[in-house]
Amino acid sequence: MLAYYGLFALQHRGQESAGIVASESGAPAFNAHKGMGLVSQVFQPRDLERLKGNRAIGHVRYSTTGSSNLKNAQPFVVDTARGRLAIAHNGNLVNAAALRAELEERGSIFQTTVDSEIVLHLLAQPASNGGGISSLRRLEGAFSIVLMTEREIIGFRDPHGFRPLCLGKLDGAYVLASESCAFDLIHAEFIRDVEPGEVLIIDENGLRSEWPFPKHRSSFCIFEHVYFARPDSNIGGTNVSMARVNMGRELARLHPAEADLVVPVPDSGIFAALGFSEETGIPYYPAFVRNHYIGRTFIQPTQMIRDFNVRVKLNLIRSAVEGKRVVVVDDSIVRGTTARSRVVNLRENGATEVHMRISCPPHKHACYYGIDFPDPEKLLANQCTAEEIRKYLGADSIGYLDVEGMVRSTGKPANEFCMACFNGDYPVPFDEKFDKLIMEKRGAKARLLEPPSERLL
Ligand code: AMP
């Protein structure tokens, strides 16, 4: 039940599928339930009743490798010579293709197309073949993982610490979650972040750490602070919402604007817009109103309701923006679709000027460590200069935060972060075959999502 609640708090990290595996400590029965969709859709009361046991791990999937189907939903369970194992993985392995080929050659039979399954097969190898915890050394890339064995819960982060993972305590028992907001929901006490490279083993005797990985510099994904993590989470001692307010303040100092109103793009731009407003003294007004209750819509795009899908999600308060010079703030521009439609909305509703402000630097490079960006040709800032972007969006001005201001906002030094999507500096080299896999997937997804070839400019 606690895992179920925890997954609700982490739903923003993945909406494709959800799953929980529960078991009684020391017993071989692992009870699993997984399904496609949101946590609220996947688990019915009877499913939760069947998840018996005193321990559980859960997962919400946001796919970056492997296709989107139930087979690839996590946690995975496998039977091995070392007993039963279940895994939930956040991140991306960058040497997945090579490891998989090697394991298949040695007789491993894979059930899924997801890189996470490789971890199970590695661990399951006999000790003589380099299996067990020390085998984790073979993994490269981004992995924050929780594993359940018949006697232990094991949580670990890759030695660069790309993705978050934290430790809490509830009624004398330890809990692990990607973000601290999950602990708030279940009234668990936050203890600390799991360290990059740390393997935490929790069993009846308590907690112990192992450090099987070679030491590396920390490369925490700065985009977690910008966009991905929930604002009520604390990561590395920094509250995410406060880092975002700081980003808005920095942005206002770098690219001030003469305007009457600061309007956030909900929900992603809210805290940065607040910071922008605080710094400039320009009033904050949440003029875009979001409908939180729509779920999936099945409305056919007929002529009359062509823009229903957009309008049902977001409406603009005309009387708030009419005749006003507006600064509109969002956290990031990927393909530019969101920003462009927000500028159109504002103009249609009578805004006299629209100044677009973005609380991170331009996204120019792909992410191989677990954030799903399209391939670089589809990233607006990879293809266009700031002036071309301004024109494409139809804005009066555009301003992005710079790397220095973004880093300062977190209160941490620059060398603790991965900023590859902004500066192309990749902390871990990636396997070209993996690269090809991810690109194929991105191509397929882009074809599904995008309107037929709209020229950027
Ligand atoms: P786009 O419309 O393609 O420019 O996407 C920009 C919007 O998507 C912004 O409002 C961001 O908050 C949000 N966003 C940024 N990165 C991601 C991501 N990796 N996955 C989903 N949404 C994102």
Side-chain angles (χ1 to χ4, degrees):
M1 212 57 183
L2 288 175
Y4 171 65
Y5 292 137
L7 290 187
F8 268 99
L10 299 172
Q11 185 76 80
H12 62 289
R13 300 191 69 85
Q15 298 88 42
E16 196 174 290
S17 65
I20 294 177
V21 178
S23 87
E24 196 64 37
S25 181
F30 277 25
N31 309 303
H33 182 74
K34 299 192 265 188
M36 300 303 289
L38 301 176
V39 178
S40 60
Q41 299 164 324
V42 167
F43 297 97
Q44 301 309 317
R46 65 175 183 282
D47 306 317
L48 293 169
E49 267 163 39
R50 288 200 346 259
L51 290 172
K52 292 203 168 30
N54 60 354
R55 318 154 325 138
I57 64 171
H59 189 261
V60 284
R61 179 162 148 86
Y62 163 82
S63 73
T64 42
T65 63
S67 45
S68 172
N69 56 39
L70 186 55
K71 229 173 156 189
N72 286 342
Q74 297 194 30
F76 299 131
V77 181
V78 289
D79 284 313
T80 75
R82 295 163 175 270
R84 209 156 262 187
L85 284 178
I87 186 172
H89 170 204
N90 174 211
N92 258 354
L93 302 181
V94 299
N95 61 340
L99 281 178
R100 188 176 169 130
E102 180 190 318
L103 286 160
E104 279 177 336
E105 213 156 89
R106 281 204 237 146
S108 296
I109 296 168
F110 282 80
Q111 298 168 23
T112 72
T113 56
V114 175
D115 58 352
S116 320
E117 199 188 341
I118 292 167
V119 184
L120 288 178
H121 288 281
L122 265 184
L123 283 165
Q125 297 284 305
S128 56
N129 238 342
I133 297 247
S134 60
S135 69
L136 299 177
R137 245 179 260 153
R138 303 281 321 274
L139 302 174
E140 283 171 27
F143 44 96
S144 279
I145 289 180
V146 286
L147 276 172
M148 187 162 71
T149 72
E150 288 172 19
R151 304 210 165 270
E152 304 143 318
I153 297 276
I154 301 173
F156 55 96
R157 281 176 85 192
D158 67 77
H160 295 269
F162 284 103
R163 309 255 75 89
L165 184 66
C166 53
L167 175 72
K169 207 167 188 184
L170 176 65
D171 297 334
Y174 290 105
V175 282
L176 291 161
S178 286
E179 289 182 41
S180 65
C181 65
F183 297 158
D184 297 340
L185 194 67
I186 59 169
H187 299 289
E189 173 201 352
F190 172 85
I191 298 182
R192 63 177 177 88
D193 291 302
V194 176
E195 295 290 320
E198 181 176 15
V199 178
L200 266 182
I201 302 163
I202 302 166
D203 60 18
E204 301 115 334
N205 304 320
L207 185 75
R208 66 177 199 278
S209 296
E210 288 192 21
W211 302 87
F213 301 102
K215 194 99 187 116
H216 283 288
R217 85 163 171 86
S218 160
S219 308
F220 182 68
C221 167
I222 202 161
F223 199 57
E224 293 269 355
H225 283 294
V226 172
Y227 165 79
F228 208 74
R230 242 173 66 156
D232 48 344
S233 289
N234 298 315
I235 301 179
T238 305
N239 171 259
V240 173
S241 79
M242 289 178 185
R244 288 179 193 166
V245 170
N246 293 341
M247 287 172 198
R249 284 183 170 274
E250 291 275 355
L251 181 60
R253 288 198 281 270
L254 192 63
H255 295 291
E258 288 277 315
D260 307 306
L261 219 54
V262 177
V263 172
V265 174
D267 293 331
S268 46
I270 288 176
F271 291 97
L274 200 59
F276 197 99
S277 161
E278 284 175 2
E279 187 66 24
T280 54
I282 303 170
Y284 171 88
Y285 202 89
F288 286 105
V289 177
R290 240 183 86 160
N291 185 334
H292 293 272
Y293 307 102
I294 40 176
R296 286 186 189 183
T297 51
F298 295 98
I299 299 204
Q300 295 303 312
T302 64
Q303 187 71 8
M304 210 175 75
I305 45 176
R306 228 178 22 222
D307 58 356
F308 178 91
N309 279 322
V310 176
R311 282 185 186 241
V312 74
K313 283 180 196 151
L314 215 57
N315 196 19
L316 189 55
I317 306 172
R318 183 178 187 99
S319 47
V321 299
E322 194 167 24
K324 303 261 170 63
R325 298 167 301 168
V326 173
V327 179
V328 57
V329 181
D330 202 357
D331 69 293
S332 54
I333 293 178
V334 181
R335 292 186 175 88
T337 326
T338 309
R340 194 183 194 194
S341 41
R342 295 299 78 87
V343 176
V344 170
N345 288 156
L346 284 161
R347 294 222 189 270
E348 279 175 355
N349 282 274
T352 53
E353 288 176 23
V354 181
H355 301 277
M356 176 62 68
R357 294 293 179 270
I358 300 296
S359 63
C360 73
H363 270 106
K364 296 196 171 177
H365 307 275
C367 173
Y368 300 101
Y369 313 124
I371 299 282
D372 194 16
F373 290 132
D375 69 76
E377 287 102 75
K378 302 220 169 54
L379 289 171
L380 192 59
N382 180 280
Q383 298 293 303
C384 307
T385 63
E387 175 53 18
E388 287 169 336
I389 294 173
R390 185 197 65 74
K391 266 201 209 141
Y392 171 68
L393 302 180
D396 293 285
S397 73
I398 184 157
Y400 284 90
L401 184 56
D402 59 4
V403 166
E404 294 75 19
M406 174 177 66
V407 169
R408 265 196 307 274
S409 304
T410 67
K412 303 260 166 198
N415 63 7
E416 287 193 9
F417 289 110
C418 172
M419 297 189 275
C421 58
F422 303 116
N423 61 15
D425 178 7
Y426 291 94
V428 178
F430 45 90
D431 178 322
E432 268 174 32
K433 274 190 237 139
F434 166 85
D435 190 5
K436 199 160 159 260
L437 271 178
I438 204 168
M439 287 312 171
E440 275 165 15
K441 180 172 174 269
R442 280 176 177 155
K445 209 160 156 191
R447 277 195 294 282
L448 279 176
L449 291 178
E450 280 183 356
S453 90
E454 186 189 3
R455 289 260 317 129
L456 283 185
L457 291 168

